[in-house]
Amino acid sequence: MIQHRLGFSFAVPIVIVGVVITLAGILAAIESPILGIVLVLVGPFFWSGLYGTQIDKSNNRFREYGSMYGVKSGQWKPLDKMPYLTVLKGKSGMTVYSRSNRSTSIIDDRYEVCLLNQSHRTRTTVKKFETKQEAMNYCTTLADDLNKEVVMYNPAVSEKTRSRRMSK
């Protein structure tokens, strides 16, 4: 089983609030056990929310999962429907506002190894990397392991889209 956690379900500041709520619940349990238990149950909701991808090679299937309190859920799909692997460049970031309403944006490049369907219109991120070389190395290794072909991302353009582009 190949398993990769891709990130938290909530933004980092909310995850930090969840940790603080959990710690406050532990401390509150000394004075008020009921309040402490409630806080200890609510806090992990925010920091245990994760998402990722699982590939089950033995049963030839994969799924994108969401996880809450460590319980993973997501629909298993056949791996045969995704015959290709590719590396895509993406961006992730956030904008922070000061008290004077000035914004600062932090944007980072990342490279994602993705499973692709026949037309390249459906993709599933398997793992994220900081550098293109790391992503390419992993993509090649995974392609050999899963008997998939590494391709350049090139989605098929429908006839309707092609005619609409020509009319402009």
Side-chain angles (χ1 to χ4, degrees):
M1 173 93 61
I2 299 170
Q3 182 166 247
H4 296 293
R5 187 184 94 187
L6 298 176
F8 288 104
S9 296
F10 298 103
V12 174
I14 294 173
V15 171
I16 292 170
V17 168
V19 170
V20 170
I21 290 171
T22 304
L23 294 175
I26 292 170
L27 294 175
I30 297 168
E31 294 291 321
S32 173
I34 294 173
L35 176 65
I37 290 171
V38 169
L39 291 176
V40 167
L41 291 175
V42 170
F45 175 79
F46 297 107
W47 57 261
S48 72
L50 305 169
Y51 67 96
T53 305
Q54 290 180 313
I55 299 173
D56 184 1
K57 293 189 311 182
S58 61
N59 292 323
N60 200 31
R61 60 187 184 161
F62 75 98
R63 74 174 172 176
E64 294 176 284
Y65 69 84
S67 171
M68 226 22 110
Y69 295 108
V71 178
K72 294 182 178 127
S73 64
Q75 184 178 6
W76 288 101
K77 299 173 187 169
L79 201 52
D80 296 336
K81 302 238 181 203
M82 305 295 246
Y84 303 118
L85 279 168
T86 192
V87 174
L88 298 174
K89 183 178 181 180
K91 293 185 182 288
S92 65
M94 66 179 179
T95 303
V96 180
Y97 293 92
S98 68
R99 292 175 65 181
S100 62
N101 206 24
R102 292 185 181 169
S103 64
T104 302
S105 295
I106 303 165
I107 298 172
D108 294 323
D109 290 339
R110 65 172 191 272
Y111 295 90
E112 301 175 350
V113 175
C114 299
L115 286 165
L116 296 173
N117 70 347
Q118 192 72 30
S119 67
H120 295 203
R121 287 287 181 193
T122 304
R123 65 178 185 241
T124 300
T125 301
V126 176
K127 191 170 181 182
K128 297 177 183 178
F129 293 92
E130 296 291 321
T131 65
K132 186 175 184 177
Q133 189 59 44
E134 286 177 319
M136 290 302 294
N137 291 343
Y138 182 78
C139 186
T140 306
T141 304
L142 186 62
D144 291 340
D145 198 22
L146 298 176
N147 296 322
K148 302 285 180 194
E149 183 181 348
V150 178
V151 296
M152 294 295 292
Y153 180 66
N154 187 16
V157 180
S158 69
E159 193 60 43
K160 183 178 179 182
T161 303
R162 198 171 298 136
S163 65
R164 186 175 52 230
R165 288 180 183 169
M166 290 238 186
S167 66
K168 289 184 181 184

